[in-house]
Amino acid sequence: MAQSNVATAPTPAPEPKAPGTPVAAGLKLAAGKIGSFIFTVFVSSVIVFFSRWLVPGDPINFLLRGRSPNPEAIAEVTAIYGLDKPPLEQYWHWVTGVVTGDFGRSLQYRQDVSEVILDRLPVTLGLVVMSGIMIAVLGLAAGICASLLRGTWADRAIIASMSGLAAIPSFVGAIVLIAVFAVQLGMFPSFGSGTGFWDMIYHLVLPSLALALSFIAVVGRVTRSAMLEEFAREHVEVARSRGVTPVAVVIRHVLRNALGPILTVSGLLVAGLLVSSAIVEQAFGLAGLGSLLVSSVDRLDFPVVQAIVLIVVTAFVAINTLVDLLGPVIDPRLKAGEGAR
């Protein structure tokens, strides 16, 4: 049987799928991050609300402290605060109120939780924002200087200073700052938050510095490490060989590409700032959310505790979500990595 001399045509390879447009990829990333944010906040709200049943103590005993209540009085107070309803119904009533800004009524202040929190919020916001500014300025400056002076005595001095700062707890830093700058030198007040905007800023200088000390060391270390890694990359050597000025090399080719890990760590530090603020507020006698949380836990004021914890968790998750969304904008290599997967 004669064999055919006709060659079989090769099967054409399938054409690669065109990648999605950058806008579509960005929208997909944003939708995924926002969906994760909503799910995380929902799970957190469930944990925050139902953890009340794990805490020893009864809020009714606090509300009726110093009295000999009869069953009718207990039933009336229980109905007023909705404690007579099933747990799931209580949660639904609470979470639907939270969406509209209604966190319930405080057991110790006898007023809306939102009003109690709004009275204390400016102090905590001012404390955290001022600390964040100090961390960004001093941490970045220390890390940049250490990376530029790598291997010198100045680099070793900065590293040693950052190691020392990282080991100082907030309350120890608060005590030292009060002793030196408030008691000995009399430069800053050591108690209260002042009256008016500028007076509050003046009163918050020492508390903000006490809160920021250990975080400055963390940001400084990460900045130094990230910049040294970028200095060793090939594109930096190419820029130098083409005659780009040292300042332009540092700003455009090193610092910009090093901002990714710095932003990531900064987002994670937000939780530490919010939690440590309670210690600093107690040390300086500040009427903020941290001191309110401590007193509310002590007095079993569950609505206030639940509201503050949920606000802190939401703020932490929101800031980290924002950092994740800004990462590919600041460092396009992250966007390229997402597209290659």
Side-chain angles (χ1 to χ4, degrees):
M1 192 172 179
Q3 294 181 352
S4 175
N5 295 326
V6 180
T8 304
T11 304
E15 296 182 359
K17 295 182 179 179
T21 62
V23 175
L27 291 176
K28 182 179 179 181
L29 174 64
K33 296 297 182 182
I34 294 174
S36 300
F37 165 75
I38 295 174
F39 177 75
T40 303
V41 172
F42 166 71
V43 173
S44 301
S45 70
V46 173
I47 296 174
V48 167
F49 184 82
F50 287 100
S51 62
R52 187 182 75 184
W53 278 268
L54 302 177
V55 178
D58 187 358
I60 297 299
N61 294 333
F62 171 77
L63 289 168
L64 299 174
R65 64 190 184 280
R67 308 176 191 174
S68 299
N70 53 47
E72 291 78 10
I74 295 177
E76 182 180 358
V77 173
T78 302
I80 291 175
Y81 287 91
L83 301 176
D84 57 335
K85 299 176 181 178
L88 287 178
E89 186 176 347
Q90 290 185 42
Y91 170 76
W92 176 252
H93 177 74
W94 176 75
V95 77
T96 52
V98 166
V99 174
T100 60
D102 180 13
F103 292 93
R105 288 185 64 82
S106 169
L107 303 182
Q108 60 175 322
Y109 294 101
R110 303 295 200 276
Q111 63 182 112
D112 290 343
V113 173
S114 56
E115 296 178 1
V116 176
I117 290 178
L118 288 176
D119 290 339
R120 308 282 192 115
L121 188 59
V123 174
T124 300
L125 277 181
L127 178 64
V128 172
V129 170
M130 288 182 63
S131 296
I133 294 174
M134 292 179 180
I135 293 169
V137 174
L138 299 178
L140 284 175
I144 292 172
C145 291
S147 64
L148 294 177
L149 302 172
R150 180 184 181 183
T152 64
W153 66 268
D155 179 27
R156 291 190 290 271
I158 293 174
I159 294 174
S161 300
M162 290 189 293
S163 299
L165 289 178
I168 300 177
S170 298
F171 70 92
V172 175
I175 294 173
V176 173
L177 291 175
I178 290 173
V180 175
F181 293 99
V183 177
Q184 295 293 331
L185 301 178
M187 296 175 59
F188 297 98
S190 62
F191 186 85
S193 57
T195 56
F197 178 76
W198 293 112
D199 193 34
M200 184 181 72
I201 297 297
Y202 175 59
H203 277 73
L204 291 181
V205 171
L206 287 186
S208 300
L209 184 57
L211 181 60
L213 285 177
S214 59
F215 299 102
I216 290 173
V218 175
V219 173
R221 285 176 170 179
V222 173
T223 301
R224 179 183 182 275
S225 176
M227 290 192 64
L228 289 179
E229 182 178 349
E230 293 300 325
F231 270 123
R233 293 189 181 276
E234 183 178 356
H235 68 89
V236 176
E237 297 297 332
V238 172
R240 284 171 170 169
S241 65
R242 295 176 60 184
V244 180
T245 61
V247 174
V249 169
V250 171
I251 295 176
R252 295 175 55 187
H253 298 278
V254 177
L255 182 58
R256 180 182 177 183
N257 291 331
L259 285 178
I262 297 172
L263 274 180
T264 302
V265 171
S266 300
L268 296 175
L269 293 180
V270 172
L273 280 176
L274 294 173
V275 172
S276 300
S277 65
I279 301 173
V280 174
E281 287 176 6
Q282 290 288 101
F284 287 90
L286 300 176
L289 293 183
S291 58
L292 176 63
L293 177 62
V294 173
S295 64
S296 299
V297 170
D298 182 56
R299 300 179 182 181
L300 299 180
D301 195 348
F302 294 120
V304 174
V305 174
Q306 291 169 343
I308 294 177
V309 173
L310 185 62
I311 289 173
V312 170
V313 171
T314 303
F316 172 69
V317 178
I319 291 175
N320 279 275
T321 301
L322 182 61
V323 168
D324 290 341
L325 293 175
L326 289 177
V329 177
I330 296 174
D331 191 351
R333 294 174 301 176
L334 298 177
K335 187 184 298 183
E338 290 289 338
R341 292 177 184 175

